[in-house]
Each structure stands twice: as C-alpha cells, then as structure tokens.
Amino acid sequence: KAGVTQTPRYLIKTRGQQVTLSCSPISGHRSVSWYQQTPGQGLQFLFEYFSETQRNKGNFPGRFSGRQFSNSRSEMNVSTLELGDSALYLCASSQGQLRTYEQYFGPGTRLTVT
Amino acid sequence: ELKVEQNPLFLSMQEGKNYTIYCNYSTTSDRLYWYRQDPGKSLESLFVLLSNGAVKQEGRLMASLDTKARLSTLHITAAVHDLSATYFCAALSFYGGSQGNLIFGKGTKLSVKP
C-alpha cells in the first residue's frame, strides 16, 4: 500500500506570495491532518479534515487555510507569505479517530520564503 | 489545554552508555507517542503507548507510560551512533467532534559519539 504523499517536496516562494501544498492520504484513509515544523516553535498542529469537513484548527492566523476533496486528498493554502512561514509542512492521514487508528506521516514539503 | 514538555532538549552520549528521555504532559491523554526524526526527514513512528504501565521495547529503545504521573520515558540502552536523531514525544488531544490531533514536545536532539 502506498504511503502518504506530499507535493511538492520543496518550494521556494517570495514574501507576499501565496502557496498551495497537496497531500494524498493512504488509500482508504478519510482523516487528514496538517502540522507545521519550525526550529523555533517545533511541531504545531494546523488543522484536521475528515470527510471534507474541517473538524479542528490549531492556533494559526487566517492566512492558513485548507480543504479536503471527496477522494480525501487535501490541500493547504498560505496566503501573503511571511518569512516566518518557512517550515517543513507535514501531512498525516488515518482511517478515523486516533483513539482507534494509527496516524501516518508523509515526507513533508519544505517551504522556504525569501 | 494539553501541553507536553520533554527533557533534556539536547543529549550528547557516548557509545555504550544508557540514558533516559523524559516526557511530561499536563492533562489526561488517551495515547502517548514517540517518534524519531532524522535531519531533513519526516517522522518515523517508534511507539504508541495506550495504558498505564505500558512498556514497549524495540532494539535498544524502551518506552514506558505512567498515566498517574503523566510521564513517559524513552530509555536508551548501550547507545550506538545509528541512534543519533531527534526524538519527539506527543500526546493525543481531542476537541469537539475532531478525530484527534497530536501535541508534540520540543524534541530531544540525541548525539551519540564514539
């Protein structure tokens, strides 16, 4: 079974631009979560989607948004990029609730904002 | 609000020595996770601990959970260079109708020297 895939793997953007990252979960997984990893703040939860609905959101500004499609693929968008948005963005998928199912992380997208 | 504290943040060990990484969490959580991350890579799942007194071992790593003390430990036995990486603990958090998300510690950067 293929793992979680994320595209692109590396991205360089300029401050003020916007960016869209994509995540394809493991086949059959309906829950997708996004995390941001920076040297200063560590690993932080961004948002979680299940069956195309956002179920939870972390403490991030409105510039960060996401969506999930009917095939469970998910995208996250960051508008008006700031230097501090440079990070490794990790996507994780699971079949459902994490009390029952394991979560699997993708390889990440490394975003650099210049 | 669930918070996770890990210590030490940096650990320099000699090969063959033993050491323990500590992970405290602030409120009740159903699951405690340990991950390994190599530089520039994603998270590799090591252990998932479900209940009080749970102990899991894989090679030179052993993880345990004390839910009453809200403490998990990752014990390294006879360290070898290949164990050099950053280790994260994470606790499972739920909000409303979410599927759950992980709250991570800051990570422990382990360096094993000959």
Side-chain angles (χ1 to χ4, degrees):
Chain A
K1 204 182 239 186
V4 179
T5 58
Q6 292 186 245
T7 56
R9 294 292 312 281
Y10 303 91
L11 203 50
I12 300 175
K13 288 286 189 178
T14 303
R15 196 169 44 181
Q17 288 185 316
Q18 75 165 17
V19 67
T20 299
L21 312 182
S22 180
C23 170
S24 292
I26 292 171
S27 177
H29 287 196
R30 295 166 62 191
S31 177
V32 173
S33 296
W34 289 88
Y35 292 84
Q36 181 198 61
Q37 185 177 23
T38 60
Q41 299 300 314
L43 276 154
Q44 294 184 284
F45 169 70
L46 276 159
F47 25 64
E48 172 222 327
Y49 288 87
F50 183 80
S51 294
E52 301 179 65
T53 302
Q54 187 179 90
R55 303 294 176 132
N56 194 10
K57 189 177 192 298
N59 189 24
F60 279 81
R63 300 185 297 108
F64 291 81
S65 63
R67 58 178 176 169
Q68 187 179 34
F69 302 95
S70 58
N71 61 358
S72 294
R73 189 176 70 85
S74 177
E75 288 181 347
M76 68 162 281
N77 184 277
V78 188
S79 63
T80 319
L81 283 166
E82 300 177 0
L83 296 179
D85 297 333
S86 294
L88 179 66
Y89 290 89
L90 294 170
C91 165
S93 77
S94 71
Q95 288 180 266
Q97 200 182 75
L98 297 186
R99 279 193 180 110
T100 307
Y101 299 102
E102 193 166 345
Q103 188 174 62
Y104 297 85
F105 282 86
T109 294
R110 171 79 60 186
L111 171 65
T112 302
V113 181
T114 62
Chain B
E1 182 189 352
L2 176 60
K3 293 186 179 180
V4 177
E5 285 189 8
Q6 220 176 306
N7 67 83
L9 299 184
F10 298 93
L11 181 53
S12 182
M13 296 177 64
Q14 275 194 309
E15 279 191 330
K17 298 292 187 183
N18 305 332
Y19 210 85
T20 301
I21 299 171
Y22 297 88
C23 175
N24 289 92
Y25 54 101
S26 60
T27 64
T28 303
S29 177
D30 289 349
R31 290 188 170 194
L32 196 291
Y33 303 78
W34 284 96
Y35 290 92
R36 169 181 171 146
Q37 187 178 43
D38 292 295
K41 304 289 187 182
S42 186
L43 298 172
E44 174 191 351
S45 178
L46 294 174
F47 303 107
V48 181
L49 302 169
L50 306 181
S51 59
N52 190 43
V55 176
K56 289 194 174 181
Q57 183 161 6
E58 181 72 37
R60 300 174 188 275
L61 301 178
M62 184 175 72
S64 66
L65 179 62
D66 181 344
T67 58
K68 292 178 183 175
R70 295 183 189 141
L71 171 69
S72 180
T73 60
L74 180 66
H75 187 72
I76 303 155
T77 302
V80 294
H81 179 71
D82 284 353
L83 290 179
S84 297
T86 300
Y87 294 84
F88 292 92
C89 67
L92 181 58
S93 173
F94 281 92
Y95 173 81
S98 78
Q99 304 299 299
N101 61 274
L102 301 186
I103 305 297
F104 286 87
K106 291 290 187 186
T108 297
K109 186 171 183 179
L110 172 65
S111 175
V112 181
K113 302 182 186 303

